């Protein structure tokens, strides 16, 4: 798996090369990174990468030419995998999700374009970009943090990246598999400042623990993400006893935070 990043701030990508499970996978050469700074593909003494918007308005717009040359350099180095998706990180893109991460991990990687300023010249998008992705409805200063999020979410899906200690199996047991939010976690001490770990988790009774966790998941999901309850139902992921518990919750009124 290879990611090529077009960015004015290449140092930000140390976040995934130098830390945590993505760094371990990087050192094992399970994935590689190319960094392409549009400033290195300028021709003028000032190394200009942006200009004022036609039609007026606030902010600056990224120039087509340095972006296009950076993408061409990335494609040249990728060689045969030159048909990898070219994904623009954009607040007007389609929302990123786990299904997209799974699509990307099945491919050879991607060229990720990180915008700064007000945006990039539309002609660059028309000429080079195959997909536009957003992280959600909040305003960031550029595409670097979204690109880092995509790399992190995709790399951890690569075979051999997660070990049991990283909870890979637990992970796939939750939202993606169950369609529900995860249940709460506890570790030592058994009592902290008078607050005890729920008795069910201390019982050692594995069937009861499973029921407790399932009910906690249902309760939390109904309270915070009712949309996920409906899609889990549509996917056939809710049992008769789940439905009975949900009805009971609705009758009682919710108790979860
Ligand atoms: C406040 C500026 N906005 C004018 C209405 C437009 C705007 C331009 C550039 C908003 C954000 C940005 C920079 N953001 C990204 O490049 C970005 C982003 C984001 O801001 N939120 C969620 N996902 C993404 S992906 C790229």
């Amino acid at each position: 798996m290879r990611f090529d990043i077009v960015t004015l701030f290449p140092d930000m990508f140390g976040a995934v090369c130098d830390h945590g499970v993505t760094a371990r996978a990087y050192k094992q050469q399970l994935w590689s990174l190319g960094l392409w700074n549009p400033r290195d593909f300028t021709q003028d003494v000032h190394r200009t990468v942006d200009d004022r918007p036609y039609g007026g308005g606030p902010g600056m717009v990224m120039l087509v030419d340095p972006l296009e040359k950076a993408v061409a350099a990335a494609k040249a180095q990728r060689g045969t995998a030159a048909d990898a998706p070219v994904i623009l990180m954009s607040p007007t893109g389609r929302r990123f999700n786990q299904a997209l991460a799974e699509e990307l991990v099945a491919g050879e990687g991607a060229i990720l374009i990180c915008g700064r300023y007000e945006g990039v010249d539309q002609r660059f998008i028309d000429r080079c970009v195959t997909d536009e992705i957003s992280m959600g409805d909040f305003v960031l200063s550029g595409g670097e943090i979204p690109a880092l999020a995509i790399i992190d979410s995709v790399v951890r899906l690569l075979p051999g990246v997660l070990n049991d200690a990283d909870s890979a199996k637990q992970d796939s047991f939750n939202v993606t598999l169950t369609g529900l939010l995860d249940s709460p976690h506890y570790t030592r001490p058994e009592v902290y400042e008078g607050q005890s770990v729920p008795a069910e988790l201390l019982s050692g009774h594995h069937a009861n623990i499973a029921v407790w966790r399932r009910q906690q998941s249902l309760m939390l999901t109904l309270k915070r993400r009712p949309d996920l309850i409906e899609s889990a139902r549509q996917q056939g992921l809710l049992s008769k006893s789940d439905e009975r518990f949900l009805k009971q919750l609705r009758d009682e009124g919710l108790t979860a935070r």
Side-chain angles (χ1 to χ4, degrees):
M1 172 87 24
R2 177 180 177 86
F3 287 99
D4 286 281
I5 317 296
V6 175
T7 174
L8 292 169
F9 300 103
D11 291 352
M12 288 180 72
F13 291 82
V16 280
C17 296
D18 300 341
H19 306 279
V21 297
T22 52
R24 188 175 65 207
Y26 184 76
K27 288 169 199 146
Q28 293 178 112
Q29 296 180 56
L30 294 175
W31 67 283
S32 62
L33 184 68
L35 293 166
W36 309 94
N37 191 336
R39 224 173 273 290
D40 296 335
F41 298 88
T42 55
Q43 319 265 324
D44 65 316
V45 283
H46 296 109
R47 314 225 299 159
T48 310
V49 292
D50 63 336
D51 206 338
R52 295 155 65 195
Y54 279 118
M60 299 290 270
V61 176
M62 291 183 80
L63 297 167
V64 180
D65 197 59
L67 287 173
E68 182 156 312
K69 288 191 162 84
V71 168
K75 284 185 174 178
Q77 191 160 105
R78 292 180 77 95
T80 54
D83 56 343
V86 177
I87 306 174
L88 177 66
M89 304 300 110
S90 165
T92 59
R94 286 172 47 197
R95 177 88 65 89
F96 189 65
N97 59 23
Q98 193 66 22
L100 256 161
E102 279 162 18
E103 257 180 59
L104 286 174
V105 80
E108 67 269 59
I111 300 175
L112 305 181
I113 315 297
C114 305
R116 281 273 155 173
Y117 317 119
E118 258 329 282
V120 309
D121 190 305
Q122 183 61 36
R123 290 166 296 183
F124 169 74
I125 301 174
D126 298 342
R127 291 166 65 83
C128 298
V129 169
T130 62
D131 304 274
E132 294 184 58
I133 292 179
S134 165
M135 279 300 131
D137 297 338
F138 48 90
V139 180
L140 296 170
S141 310
E144 283 79 7
I145 287 171
L148 287 164
I150 289 176
I151 294 170
D152 187 87
S153 69
V154 173
V155 165
R156 63 199 302 292
L157 295 177
L158 286 168
V161 169
L162 293 189
N163 52 43
D164 285 358
D166 301 318
S167 313
K169 296 195 167 96
Q170 297 287 60
D171 264 12
S172 57
F173 238 75
N174 289 298
V175 186
T176 50
L177 208 106
T178 67
L180 300 174
L181 300 181
D182 203 358
S183 59
H185 302 281
Y186 294 87
T187 186
R188 294 194 293 176
E190 214 173 289
V191 182
Y192 183 77
E193 297 279 320
Q195 283 184 279
S196 186
V197 171
E200 291 85 347
L201 297 179
L202 303 173
S203 68
H205 191 302
H206 297 298
N208 286 356
I209 291 169
V211 168
W212 181 85
R213 285 183 169 153
R214 183 71 182 182
Q215 295 187 341
Q216 289 291 312
S217 277
L218 289 164
M219 212 186 291
L220 193 66
T221 309
L222 183 62
K223 178 74 181 170
R224 297 211 186 137
R225 296 290 307 276
D227 58 310
L228 293 182
I229 292 282
E230 194 41 49
S231 56
R233 182 175 287 129
Q234 245 123 48
Q235 290 174 262
L237 295 172
L238 300 183
S239 67
K240 286 218 173 105
S241 79
D242 290 337
E243 294 291 5
R244 252 182 276 124
F245 182 70
L246 287 168
K247 184 182 183 308
Q248 192 186 315
L249 286 178
R250 287 199 190 86
D251 292 349
E252 289 169 1
L254 284 175
T255 48
R257 264 179 299 158

